């Protein structure tokens, strides 16, 4: 339970705390945006892709999902050195890992749409790409919302790990 002295500390440092909240929200939005930009195509490749590209995307996803986020961030910041900015490095690290998880969310959502939907779209003259784009993807995006909401929560919590690289 907070006591009077504790509240005085909070109010004395409110600017610092608000700045931290802004960085946390910004990092979460940026990482989720990068994760979506990479994860949705990766999920589609895992469902509709062929051969080498499918195996490459799947393998990269397994590695990213299996590596702790602190290791990813430390490797990107100190070994690969993608940027001098801790914010940029944390965004890329969180975004790549989020992309690996979002790819699985979208893969499952795409696979959950009945094959008959694709066949019906093809029967009325749509190409395979048009059928996927106009019939399957809208249904899959709606079905992926619960998983995406969970991913949002996970990325929000994982932003705290960015302290390891000085953010």
């Amino acid at each position: 339970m907070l006591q009077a002295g504790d509240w005085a500390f909070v109010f004395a440092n409110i600017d610092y705390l608000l700045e931290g909240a802004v960085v946390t929200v910004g990092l979460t939005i940026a990482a989720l945006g990068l994760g979506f930009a990479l994860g949705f195509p990766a999920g589609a490749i895992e469902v509709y892709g062929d051969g080498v590209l499918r195996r490459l995307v799947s393998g990269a996803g397994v590695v990213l999902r299996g590596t702790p986020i602190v290791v990813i961030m430390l490797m990107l910041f100190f070994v690969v050195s993608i940027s001098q900015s801790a914010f940029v490095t944390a965004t890329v690290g969180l975004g790549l890992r989020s992309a690996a998880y979002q790819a699985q969310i979208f893969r499952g959502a795409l696979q959950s749409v009945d094959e008959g939907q694709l066949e019906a779209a093809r029967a009325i003259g749509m190409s395979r790409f048009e059928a996927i784009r106009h019939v399957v993807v809208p249904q899959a995006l709606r079905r992926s919302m619960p998983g995406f909401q969970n991913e949002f929560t996970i990325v929000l919590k994982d932003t705290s790990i960015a302290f390891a690289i000085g953010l």
Side-chain angles (χ1 to χ4, degrees):
M1 181 151 99
L2 291 176
Q3 297 176 1
D6 296 331
W7 283 111
F9 176 79
V10 169
F11 289 122
N13 294 295
I14 195 76
D15 293 339
Y16 182 71
L17 294 172
L18 289 175
E19 181 183 344
V22 168
V23 169
T24 298
V25 170
L27 184 56
T28 300
I29 291 169
L32 283 172
L34 178 61
F36 183 82
L38 298 174
F40 187 78
I45 288 169
E46 286 195 46
V47 175
Y48 300 112
D50 57 345
V52 175
L53 188 58
R54 180 189 291 187
R55 286 192 299 275
L56 182 66
V57 167
S58 179
V62 168
V63 169
L64 286 168
R65 288 190 311 272
T67 305
I69 189 62
V70 70
V71 172
I72 293 171
M73 282 192 202
L74 290 172
M75 292 291 288
L76 289 175
F77 195 70
F78 294 111
V79 178
V80 180
S81 190
I82 61 169
S83 174
Q84 294 294 326
S85 167
F87 185 87
V88 171
T89 303
T91 299
V92 171
L94 287 167
L96 287 174
R97 182 149 147 258
S98 180
Y101 280 103
Q102 287 187 49
Q104 293 307 300
I105 292 167
F106 297 131
R107 180 197 52 78
L110 288 166
Q111 288 177 330
S112 75
V113 176
D114 189 68
E115 222 16 71
Q117 298 287 316
L118 187 61
E119 290 176 27
R122 296 295 309 272
I124 62 169
M126 288 185 176
S127 69
R128 180 172 167 82
F129 178 75
E130 289 174 329
I132 292 168
R133 180 174 172 227
H134 295 294
V135 176
V136 177
V137 167
Q139 294 178 63
L141 285 175
R142 280 190 291 277
R143 292 177 182 194
S144 69
M145 288 309 294
F148 187 76
Q149 290 169 337
N150 287 340
E151 181 61 15
F152 170 81
T153 303
I154 290 166
V155 171
L156 179 68
K157 292 188 320 181
D158 284 349
T159 60
S160 65
I161 302 301
F163 83 91
I165 57 172
L167 183 63

